[in-house]
Amino acid sequence: MKKTPPQKGSLTIIGTGIKLGGHMTQESMSVVKSADRVLAVVAEPATFEWLKRLNPNIKSLAVHYDKNKYRHQTYQLMVDEIVESVENGHKTAAVFYGHPGVFVNPSHKAIKRLKDLGYEAKMLPGISADACLFAELSVDPSRNGYQAYEATDFLLFNRTLDSSVSCVIWQIGVVGKMSIEKVEQADDNLKVLVDELLKYYPKSHEVILYLSSQFNIIESTIKRLPLSELPVSTIPELSTLFIPPAKPKQLNLTMAKKLNIDISKITT
Amino acid sequence: VANKLRDFLIELSTNEQTKENYRNNPDATMTNAGLSAQEQQWIKDGNLDEINNNIGEDHTAGKWIDISES
């Protein structure tokens, strides 16, 4: 009698996007519906419930979060659970908030581990917070360029800025925070960040605090204020800071000549 | 566990008819969905903290980069 070969598991990493029910691609939704198992960490409970209706065989990976654990320990447990599901022969969909490859540590690690073990593992793109920001603030990143840093990373690793380029600073609500505890109000860390930004921008330069709403009936938070007022503002923990350019981009005439570009046709 | 506020938000995000009803008459649509006066007010105020705290078990992440591993 012919033996049935053991079922080989696989992994697809999915992003829900930011808005409940509206940002997940058709491709991703199809993967979730047809998965043997869905493992998820999402932005709010309604999205989890919505995923559960797409596929009842779902489990939350958020159980691994614990105030007493370092985040890298939590991420390791998530990776272990994803890998175990695939090793057990399940076609697994791991679902994360936003774009599953942006600010998501376990997604990249799970793919690497599974590929090293010879399994099929891939990631599908999702809508990230900066994609929402470009849409809602009418920013075209190709116009003035685009530089982006995580707030704590920006301070710790001596990053530099070009003030003629649009700038996004991620996670300014948790600058310098290494735990998963909630942050209720502005603190001295934000002042440290602003002091650093003031090396590149004037105090009066208008910046925008942005937080994309997860629900289609609630407006996103878009707060415009001078850079100097940032330390006394209440910052939602997942806010993004957008800093428009403070000076015009400079045309390099020598380069234009080398490239045979007629500068009369260039708009700045 | 049933949660009318959560179910209403899902309907609003995935059901065109509910969206249309809400656009035309938000108060009646929320009342018909069984939302309490307080829940309706949270939606009108855009109070994400209260909404998120009242739509069920938390499956959410502190989605922060672990720079200790950089």
Side-chain angles (χ1 to χ4, degrees):
Chain A
M1 200 170 107
K2 218 176 180 182
K3 269 190 177 175
T4 309
Q7 191 188 354
K8 194 172 180 193
S10 64
L11 173 67
T12 308
I13 303 273
I14 301 293
T16 61
I18 307 297
K19 274 203 169 51
L20 165 64
H23 277 184
M24 194 190 271
T25 63
Q26 291 293 329
E27 183 186 25
S28 296
M29 214 179 296
S30 164
V31 169
V32 169
K33 283 179 183 171
S34 63
D36 300 326
R37 295 195 71 204
V38 179
L39 301 169
V41 190
V42 293
E44 37 68 35
T47 295
F48 190 84
E49 177 61 26
W50 174 66
L51 290 168
K52 196 175 175 182
R53 292 176 191 183
L54 294 177
N55 188 332
N57 199 4
I58 187 170
K59 188 184 169 206
S60 173
L61 289 172
V63 292
H64 298 301
Y65 280 106
D66 184 335
K67 272 196 286 191
N68 300 316
K69 278 182 204 150
Y70 288 108
R71 268 176 279 157
H72 67 87
Q73 293 174 303
T74 298
Y75 296 152
Q76 192 54 53
L77 291 169
M78 289 180 182
V79 173
D80 290 346
E81 186 162 356
I82 294 167
V83 169
E84 190 185 336
S85 173
V86 175
E87 285 180 326
N88 286 339
H90 299 302
K91 192 164 75 168
T92 304
V95 184
F96 296 89
Y97 172 59
H99 187 301
V102 178
F103 283 88
V104 184
N105 173 309
S107 58
H108 294 288
K109 288 199 165 164
I111 285 177
K112 182 172 185 325
R113 246 175 78 182
L114 285 165
K115 279 188 169 172
D116 288 349
L117 291 168
Y119 288 96
E120 186 189 322
K122 65 179 177 184
M123 180 185 292
L124 300 181
I127 294 179
S128 55
D130 58 352
C132 297
L133 182 150
F134 295 146
E136 292 203 89
L137 301 185
S138 292
V139 172
D140 180 347
S142 73
R143 180 100 181 107
N144 288 305
Y146 170 44
Q147 55 197 333
Y149 294 108
E150 195 279 334
T152 307
D153 177 281
F154 169 70
L155 293 172
L156 272 185
F157 296 101
N158 298 313
R159 309 296 193 182
T160 56
L161 295 176
D162 178 342
S163 62
S164 70
V165 173
S166 298
C167 177
V168 166
I169 304 282
W170 301 83
Q171 304 191 134
I172 65 156
V174 290
V175 60
K177 307 290 183 221
M178 301 298 288
S179 76
I180 61 164
E181 288 178 80
K182 285 191 186 296
V183 181
E184 300 295 345
Q185 58 194 19
D187 61 17
D188 290 345
N189 290 352
L190 200 52
K191 188 172 179 311
V192 175
L193 173 67
V194 170
D195 284 346
E196 191 62 24
L197 293 173
L198 286 172
K199 292 178 182 171
Y200 303 92
Y201 302 96
K203 282 182 180 176
S204 60
H205 189 57
E206 185 184 83
V207 297
I208 303 171
L209 271 175
Y210 175 75
L211 180 61
S212 180
S213 170
Q214 306 116 305
F215 305 114
N216 59 358
I217 50 166
I218 293 176
E219 296 290 318
S220 295
T221 302
I222 299 173
K223 188 175 173 186
R224 295 169 192 274
L225 69 167
L227 179 57
S228 59
E229 284 181 19
L230 204 55
V232 291
S233 300
T234 302
I235 314 282
E237 63 182 17
L238 289 177
S239 296
T240 301
L241 180 69
F242 179 72
I243 312 176
K247 63 182 186 187
K249 54 188 176 186
Q250 295 299 306
L251 183 60
N252 184 330
L253 292 172
T254 309
M255 195 56 74
K257 197 172 175 186
K258 276 187 187 174
L259 297 170
N260 286 321
I261 291 174
D262 178 357
I263 58 167
S264 68
K265 296 200 168 99
I266 297 175
T267 52
T268 55
Chain B
V1 182
N3 182 311
K4 286 178 181 170
L5 178 57
R6 180 197 66 202
D7 291 347
F8 179 67
L9 291 167
I10 293 172
E11 277 294 296
L12 268 177
S13 300
T14 55
N15 184 321
E16 284 304 319
Q17 187 59 57
T18 309
K19 274 187 216 175
E20 183 65 21
N21 293 345
Y22 184 82
R23 268 193 292 270
N24 293 335
N25 193 338
D27 289 339
T29 309
M30 288 193 284
T31 302
N32 290 341
L35 267 55
S36 69
Q38 188 173 49
E39 288 168 334
Q40 294 188 27
Q41 198 57 48
W42 292 335
I43 288 178
K44 286 176 187 168
D45 294 343
N47 190 334
L48 285 174
D49 284 342
E50 288 294 350
I51 291 170
N52 282 326
N53 287 335
N54 287 280
I55 53 176
E57 195 183 343
D58 190 5
H59 298 286
T60 63
K63 194 182 161 83
W64 306 329
I65 195 166
D66 190 342
I67 58 167
S68 63
E69 294 186 358
S70 298

